[in-house]
Amino acid sequence: MNQNLDNQFSKENDAINIRAEIEKYLINWKWFLLSTIVCVSLAVVFMKTQVNVYQTNASVLVKEDGGASSELKVFQDLSSLGLGAKNNVYDEIEVLTSRSLAVAMVKKLKLNFEVYQQHGLKKVEQFHTIPFRYQVLSDLDNFYKLDTFIDITILDKATFKYQIEESEDEKVVKFGEQIKIGDKVIVLTPTESNSNQIIDKTFQVVFTRLDKVIEKYKNNINIVSADQDSNIINLSLSHPIKEKAELVLNTMVDLYNKRSIEDKNEVGKKTDEFIVNRLTEVNSDLDEIDKIEELYKKDKQITDIGFQSQVFVDSKTLNEQEIFKINTELSVVDYIIQSIQNQKNDFELLPASVGIEDNLQLSASVTNFNQLLLERNRLLRDSSPANPVVQNLNSELKNLRGSIQQSLINIKEQLEIALTSLNIKDKEFKSRITDIPQQAREYRSILRKQSIIAQLYSYLLQKKEENEISMAVTVPSSKVIDRAYSMSKPIAPKKPIIVLAGMLIGLIIPFAIIYLRDLLDTKFHTKGDLKGVVSVPLLGDIPFDDTEEKVVIRKGSRTSTAEAFRLLRTNLDFMLTPVGSKSKIVFVTSTISGEGKTFVSVNTAASLALTGKKVLLMGMDLRAPKITQYLDLPNRNGVTNYIIDKDANLAEMVTPLAGFENLDLLSSGVVPPNPAELLLSPKIGEMFEELRKMYDYIVVDTAPVNLVTDTLMLSQHADMFLYVSRANYLDKRMLEVPERFYREKRLPNMAILINGLDHSRGYGYGYGGYGYPAEENNKNFFQKIFKS
């Protein structure tokens, strides 16, 4: 049962503490309101300084094959078509985010040049109505290092004045005249937008370092895959100007596709170069054989030779065709081997193996080598040769190149063996056609050579045309799904969030100030601060009053302070009832000086005198007398004089206080050199016994108990101790002093009185408003807050 009551009491105390914590902030609600209004206003002003930012999106589809049309798949023997090549989506994203592509885009659009104009609180970029353009007359690479701004004011259609950043000189020039910025020279030329409407307008021209602009757009352009298994790439850019953002994304995609086409056409160009060289050589051979035929006919004077020994001749013809064919293939093989050996390094494109039959494996190897080399060159644009992927490709390319060379050598050896065999057969045929006239044999030999060379020439022309067709129909690796488009609603600034942030900051600032103030504050302020710290009975509290009156309670006084002393008087009677004696002595003390014990002593005595009782106000602080000084009275004989002078008359030392009935004063007298020893005098007891006979109440103003022992030496003469603790003044740690005295019972019938309590910080009705009109004027709101 007792445990349940303790738990309930603990919960009630927790509820009271929570309520006190909440009220601690609620009493400052006006500061919260003011801070919120100011912060929300600043948030609104901040929004006025921000331009709207819109999001622009675009999307492309990365194709899985190399981009050749299905109709050209019949030319699979032509390696330059690159059929079946795969594109990795993530590799293409890396290409799109590469620095080289960003450099090309920034230079093409001249994004390092921007023009701004002040519109109210905003500095807005001009994109559609730029009044002038610039031209660079100095070194362009050096110009890209320029990082400054120029303030330009248009004076008329032909003249403007400008001032360069960090320069105090303002110059007036005409459009077309040179402007020197350090070692860089530019010229501004007017545009169609340079009309009368911009005269006297000021613009800020900003030139930004190229590397800064590149990093800005590389970081701001978001390029991601639509899905893990998707070949679609989404591009987005947030920018205040929709059209500029769309132009940036479209230009980036166009440059990417253009580079993709150029990469694919490199193999075709190399193959075309090889075919042209071969055509030149074959054409020369064809011209030579034609001349031989012409000379032979002129020399022998023949026009036609009959067919003799048709079977042997035809067989020999077929054999010789094979010989010529193999010779031609040997020539091609020798040419390809020589071309490979003449290359300066191992990483150059190889010509296609045109003119070699049964070379599918060799053609596939050459195609694979060229594709890997193109992939390696593309990676080198965005990475260093130390890249592990590049190193792996280098190793693979070297192995593949060696394999191709060995294959060519093997093919050459096979052709030479076949040629030897055919030559043997040719000798056999010659021995069988000895009867054929030598002229006919020689002439047909010329014709056969002419036919073979003509067929080779026709074949090369066909392959050249196929190569040109493949280059003409080459398409990029990606297909644009959506050209750049912008959202209609801005994505920034987020006005509701900014206002909400301003509101939250407005609430947090006063909350933090109040919290830190209370955290660092060591003074006690309210009755709640005493709970759990002292167990001394609480007799009452005196509200804070900034009046200059020394005695606040008089007849007819209705202030909150006067009512507090009347309540104190009632509580004193209740505390003194068990004493039983007719005369009652109340000692007033405090922990330290400055807590208002003299103020409490004077007004307590005045409140008791108003009841018609005879009251004595007595000063017993012999070290620092305060009563006469407090009441602006001259110093007079008092307690000290009575103790020292054996013949002193106590009644003669007591003087009535002017303006108060039934209230007398006995001051402490002169300050003695040995107050502690003086208070041990037996005359102290005699003095109190005599005063008890003269007065109903004796209110004694004593010294602070934490500074000297004077009060403790007199404690046996007191019927009650009124312990004054001043709110907003006494350190909470000093509350241990009255608690210790109370537990040790060193001060009889002790009760605590809170002085200077500010009821706006605590809770309760207070004084002067519950049935009694306050005589105080309402204080200014800011004064109340600062005093709290």
Side-chain angles (χ1 to χ4, degrees), residues 3 45 61 117 120 224 355 634 718:
Q3 185 177 2
V45 173
L61 172 65
Q117 188 177 16
V224 296

Side-chain angles (χ1 to χ4, degrees), residues 224-486:
V224 296
S225 175
D227 188 76
Q228 185 176 3
D229 299 326
S230 174
N231 289 343
I232 297 177
I233 299 176
N234 293 327
L235 299 88
S236 62
L237 172 62
S238 299
H239 199 275
I241 303 176
K242 299 179 182 179
E243 294 78 5
K244 185 174 183 179
E246 293 172 0
L247 182 60
V248 167
L249 292 184
N250 287 334
T251 302
M252 175 170 284
V253 172
D254 293 341
L255 289 174
Y256 163 74
N257 286 335
K258 181 180 178 182
R259 288 192 171 192
S260 175
I261 293 175
E262 291 176 351
D263 290 342
K264 291 183 178 182
N265 284 340
E266 281 191 33
V267 177
K269 292 178 181 178
K270 200 72 176 179
T271 303
D272 185 71
E273 180 182 348
F274 169 75
I275 293 176
V276 169
N277 292 335
R278 287 293 297 136
L279 281 173
T280 302
E281 294 178 4
V282 173
N283 186 57
S284 176
D285 293 341
L286 190 58
D287 290 341
E288 184 178 354
I289 198 67
D290 288 341
K291 290 178 181 179
I292 291 174
E293 180 188 9
E294 180 182 355
L295 293 175
Y296 185 83
K297 285 184 177 182
K298 288 182 178 180
D299 182 54
K300 301 300 180 181
Q301 294 182 357
I302 60 174
T303 57
D304 188 14
I305 301 176
F307 295 96
Q308 296 176 357
S309 305
Q310 190 64 39
V311 175
F312 295 104
V313 172
D314 291 340
S315 298
K316 189 175 185 303
T317 300
L318 292 175
N319 189 68
E320 288 179 349
Q321 287 179 355
E322 288 295 324
I323 292 173
F324 266 96
K325 181 179 178 181
I326 290 176
N327 281 326
T328 301
E329 291 183 359
L330 277 173
S331 176
V332 172
V333 169
D334 288 332
Y335 180 83
I336 294 176
I337 292 174
Q338 184 178 2
S339 297
I340 294 175
Q341 292 174 350
N342 290 336
Q343 288 182 348
K344 296 181 180 180
N345 56 65
D346 295 336
F347 303 108
E348 290 187 11
L349 293 171
L350 299 179
S353 55
V354 178
I356 304 176
E357 293 184 1
D358 300 329
N359 65 338
L360 294 179
Q361 183 177 359
L362 177 62
S363 177
S365 298
V366 172
T367 301
N368 190 22
F369 178 89
N370 289 334
Q371 288 177 350
L372 290 176
L373 182 58
L374 289 177
E375 180 66 17
R376 171 187 176 274
N377 292 339
R378 186 171 68 167
L379 290 175
L380 283 176
R381 293 195 192 108
D382 303 311
S383 62
S384 66
N387 188 325
V389 178
V390 175
Q391 295 290 335
N392 291 336
L393 288 175
N394 289 344
S395 177
E396 187 173 355
L397 286 170
K398 289 180 179 180
N399 293 335
L400 191 57
R401 185 183 183 91
S403 176
I404 292 173
Q405 289 179 329
Q406 185 61 43
S407 296
L408 290 172
I409 292 172
N410 293 338
I411 291 173
K412 182 178 179 180
E413 291 176 354
Q414 293 174 1
L415 291 175
E416 288 176 347
I417 293 173
L419 182 60
T420 302
S421 176
L422 291 174
N423 286 332
I424 294 173
K425 289 182 179 180
D426 185 64
K427 290 180 180 179
E428 294 177 356
F429 287 133
K430 286 182 179 179
S431 63
R432 293 187 181 187
I433 57 172
T434 53
D435 296 335
I436 299 175
Q438 183 178 358
Q439 294 179 354
R441 185 174 64 252
E442 293 174 353
Y443 179 71
R444 292 184 66 85
S445 176
I446 293 173
L447 290 180
R448 283 191 294 272
K449 292 180 179 180
Q450 186 183 48
S451 175
I452 291 172
I453 296 175
Q455 290 178 7
L456 177 59
Y457 186 81
S458 176
Y459 176 79
L460 291 174
L461 284 177
Q462 179 185 354
K463 292 303 179 182
K464 185 176 186 302
E465 189 66 23
E466 291 174 357
N467 189 55
E468 290 178 353
I469 292 173
S470 67
M471 293 173 61
V473 299
T474 301
V475 294
S477 300
S478 65
K479 175 185 177 182
V480 178
I481 299 177
D482 289 321
R483 300 287 288 180
Y485 64 94
S486 301

Side-chain angles (χ1 to χ4, degrees), residues 550-715:
K550 303 297 179 63
V551 183
V552 298
I553 182 168
R554 299 176 185 272
K555 284 186 178 181
S557 177
R558 306 296 295 276
T559 65
S560 60
T561 308
E563 292 300 327
F565 277 105
R566 289 188 177 95
L567 182 59
L568 174 63
R569 180 181 63 198
T570 303
N571 293 338
L572 279 174
D573 287 339
F574 177 77
M575 293 288 292
L576 292 171
T577 299
V579 174
S581 61
K582 181 180 179 181
S583 179
K584 300 176 177 64
I585 300 176
V586 178
F587 276 30
V588 181
T589 187
S590 65
T591 306
I592 58 176
S593 60
E595 294 194 70
K597 59 183 179 56
T598 302
F599 166 74
V600 172
S601 300
V602 171
N603 286 278
T604 301
S607 66
L608 291 170
L610 289 176
T611 63
K613 302 292 184 178
K614 195 163 181 60
V615 182
L616 174 66
L617 177 60
M618 184 177 179
M620 284 298 293
D621 189 354
L622 304 185
R623 299 175 185 267
K626 294 291 180 64
I627 290 182
T628 55
Q629 181 182 356
Y630 181 79
L631 296 174
D632 294 329
L633 298 176
N635 196 14
R636 61 190 70 189
N637 292 336
V639 176
T640 305
N641 303 91
Y642 174 77
I643 298 172
I644 297 174
D645 190 356
K646 296 180 180 180
D647 299 327
N649 187 353
L650 186 60
E652 294 177 355
M653 295 181 181
V654 175
T655 58
L657 278 177
F660 295 92
E661 296 181 1
N662 304 319
L663 181 58
D664 295 337
L665 172 66
L666 177 60
S667 67
S668 58
V670 297
V671 179
N674 54 345
E677 290 75 10
L678 198 63
L679 292 175
L680 295 175
S681 172
K683 291 192 70 173
I684 294 295
E686 298 174 2
M687 178 183 65
F688 278 110
E689 287 298 326
E690 185 176 350
L691 290 175
R692 281 183 184 273
K693 299 175 182 178
M694 298 169 57
Y695 295 96
D696 297 318
Y697 288 95
I698 301 172
V699 180
V700 183
D701 182 23
T702 63
V705 295
N706 197 50
L707 300 179
V708 293
T709 62
D710 298 3
T711 303
L712 297 176
M713 296 168 64
L714 300 172
S715 61

